[in-house]
Amino acid sequence: MTGHIYINCGSGAVALNLKISKDSPVPLYHQVVQGFEDAVNAGELPPGTKLENEIELARQLGLSRPTMRKAMDELVRAGLLVRKRGVGTQVVAPSVRRPLQLSSLHDDLAKSGSRPTTKVLEFGTAPAPAEVAGHLGLAAGADAYHMIRLRSVDGKPLAVMENWVPLAFGTLTEEELAERGLYDLLRGLGINFHLAHQRVGAALATRYQADLLEMEPREAVVTMERTATDDQGRPVETGHHVYAADLYSFEMTLMQH
């Protein structure tokens, strides 16, 4: 069967058709979750859309309230819905889920079908601070490329990225950096990435970061520090990135040996 949900999207009520089959081996709540995910990703439910309460949604779909609640809980955990006191349940922008692997944010976004854009905030050569020089195997105070970029996805600010790269690997330009990912540029210089040491954490946004990411100061952000090496064991780049926490997460698979 096809369930119809009538939702007020601000421009009038729209009918959202969800395919719900009680004969399917897929649990009913998961069918609801998949239907909502597809609608959000297709733009049928834009961010800010307010949903009816669970009792009304369950009635419209012909489902039990516990089934509907389980679906809503799953959608909240997935970051597609948010419950706000005094407002109700609303659709939020889908978050970027990035696997923990040796790749650039630009490449990951492009592969996922998103439209990444880059604004170069700072670019040039500068003496590397002691900690940065240590990560890159440079003498203290040696010059290196230094860059700060604002990465957006589908027009929304996502990350503030600061990176350092040794000068010895070749020439980087601000123009190329605005159009392509850093790792793509470095591969073009003949660098073969091999491994990276990476640390993921959380912090409160500074005013500078908050202004760039269009959030309030001291809102939560995801942080990532990484130093990558090539197949000859040479440090290639080191960086510190800050991501909007409501739009970004890392994914990993754990195994017991």
Side-chain angles (χ1 to χ4, degrees):
M1 70 175 186
T2 300
H4 299 276
I5 297 180
Y6 294 92
I7 298 173
N8 185 358
C9 292
S11 57
V14 298
L16 177 65
N17 296 323
L18 301 183
K19 294 182 179 179
I20 307 295
S21 173
K22 294 185 177 180
D23 296 325
S24 171
V26 178
L28 291 173
Y29 85 91
H30 189 74
Q31 294 181 50
V32 175
V33 169
Q34 188 61 59
F36 270 93
E37 287 182 343
D38 292 344
V40 171
N41 292 330
E44 297 175 31
L45 292 179
T49 299
K50 184 178 178 181
L51 303 183
E52 297 282 358
N53 60 55
E54 292 164 3
I55 296 176
E56 177 59 21
L57 292 176
R59 184 192 68 78
Q60 291 182 21
L61 287 175
L63 300 174
S64 68
R65 184 180 179 185
T67 295
M68 199 68 215
R69 170 170 281 277
K70 189 172 184 179
M72 293 295 102
D73 288 344
E74 185 69 21
L75 288 163
V76 169
R77 282 193 293 269
L80 292 180
L81 299 180
V82 62
R83 293 185 175 107
K84 295 183 178 180
R85 185 184 300 272
V87 176
T89 303
Q90 288 182 298
V91 176
V92 296
S95 64
V96 175
R97 301 176 184 177
R98 186 179 179 190
L100 280 172
Q101 60 186 22
L102 186 48
S103 59
S104 72
L105 176 60
H106 186 281
D107 293 346
D108 288 341
L109 291 172
K111 288 178 182 177
S112 70
S114 300
R115 301 188 303 274
T117 56
T118 303
K119 181 178 181 181
V120 181
L121 305 174
E122 294 184 25
F123 179 83
T125 60
E131 184 177 4
V132 170
H135 289 320
L136 295 178
L138 301 175
D143 282 346
Y145 283 111
H146 176 237
M147 61 206 74
I148 300 178
R149 296 161 292 158
L150 175 65
R151 177 66 44 75
S152 299
V153 58
D154 299 329
K156 185 168 181 60
L158 173 66
V160 179
M161 306 178 295
E162 180 177 15
N163 291 83
W164 294 80
V165 176
L167 300 179
F169 292 115
T171 302
L172 298 176
T173 68
E174 182 175 347
E175 292 72 23
E176 288 181 310
L177 198 61
E179 295 296 327
R180 299 163 58 191
L182 177 59
Y183 278 26
D184 186 35
L185 290 178
L186 293 175
R187 290 189 188 97
L189 296 176
I191 292 173
N192 295 313
F193 288 93
H194 179 59
L195 61 85
H197 296 285
Q198 179 168 290
R199 181 169 58 189
V200 178
L204 300 178
T206 65
R207 181 168 294 277
Y208 172 72
Q209 294 164 348
D211 287 344
L212 291 172
L213 295 173
E214 299 179 0
M215 60 171 54
E216 294 297 322
R218 299 188 64 77
E219 279 194 52
V221 292
V222 177
T223 64
M224 189 269 283
E225 298 177 9
R226 174 192 283 183
T227 299
T229 60
D230 66 5
D231 54 2
Q232 299 179 47
R234 300 174 300 178
V236 173
E237 66 88 15
T238 189
H240 176 80
H241 298 181
V242 174
Y243 306 88
D246 62 335
L247 296 176
Y248 193 86
S249 64
F250 286 98
E251 288 187 343
M252 66 189 76
T253 299
L254 305 178
M255 295 181 63
Q256 181 173 331
H257 297 283

